[in-house]
């Protein structure tokens, strides 16, 4: 999958160094994946949650952080929409961010 953009993750782990290793692991896994449906994601990462047909929420670092992405399955692209702490996550609408 092509991920747009790792820079968002880098900026986050500069602020939260404990998130770097798990975010890098997620990035490597997602970049190498060929996800054609939510079932493919669920098989690879059982903690993924889904909103609608293309929005996915991942728990990062034992659920310390939340990552929200939009997946274009047919085009093989993932757009990072949000990465944050639970407090930050509670202030947004994951369905529209």
């Amino acid at each position: 999958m092509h991920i747009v953009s790792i820079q968002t993750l880098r900026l986050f782990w500069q602020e939260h160094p404990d998130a770097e290793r798990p975010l890098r692991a997620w990035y490597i896994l997602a970049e190498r994946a060929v996800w054609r449906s939510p079932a493919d994601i669920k098989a690879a990462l059982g903690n993924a949650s889904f909103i609608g047909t293309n929005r996915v929420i991942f728990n990062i670092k034992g659920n310390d952080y939340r990552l929200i992405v939009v997946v274009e399955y047919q085009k093989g692209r993932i757009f990072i929409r949000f990465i944050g702490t639970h407090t930050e996550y509670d202030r947004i609408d994951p369905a529209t961010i």
Side-chain angles (χ1 to χ4, degrees):
M1 304 293 289
H2 175 72
I3 302 167
V4 181
S5 126
I6 191 171
Q7 183 62 20
T8 303
L9 300 180
R10 284 188 184 122
L11 291 172
F12 186 79
W13 74 53
Q14 286 173 357
E15 216 175 297
H16 304 274
D18 62 328
E20 181 175 2
R21 179 176 264 172
L23 284 172
R24 282 185 183 272
W26 175 88
Y27 183 87
I28 290 167
L29 183 129
E31 184 179 48
R32 293 178 181 168
V34 179
W35 291 332
R36 302 275 184 228
S37 70
D40 292 340
I41 295 174
K42 198 67 167 171
L45 295 163
N47 70 351
S49 301
F50 301 90
I51 299 175
T53 57
N54 66 349
R55 197 167 296 258
V56 186
I57 303 169
F58 296 98
N59 296 322
I60 303 295
K61 193 185 169 277
N63 208 20
D64 286 350
Y65 303 106
R66 293 278 175 96
L67 172 65
I68 301 174
V69 303
V70 171
V71 181
E72 290 183 346
Y73 296 100
Q74 292 184 356
K75 294 181 180 180
R77 290 190 294 212
I78 298 172
F79 295 90
I80 297 170
R81 302 298 300 162
F82 171 86
I83 178 71
T85 64
H86 273 278
T87 302
E88 293 164 335
Y89 175 82
D90 289 341
R91 287 184 270 180
I92 59 134
D93 179 359
T96 61
I97 195 161

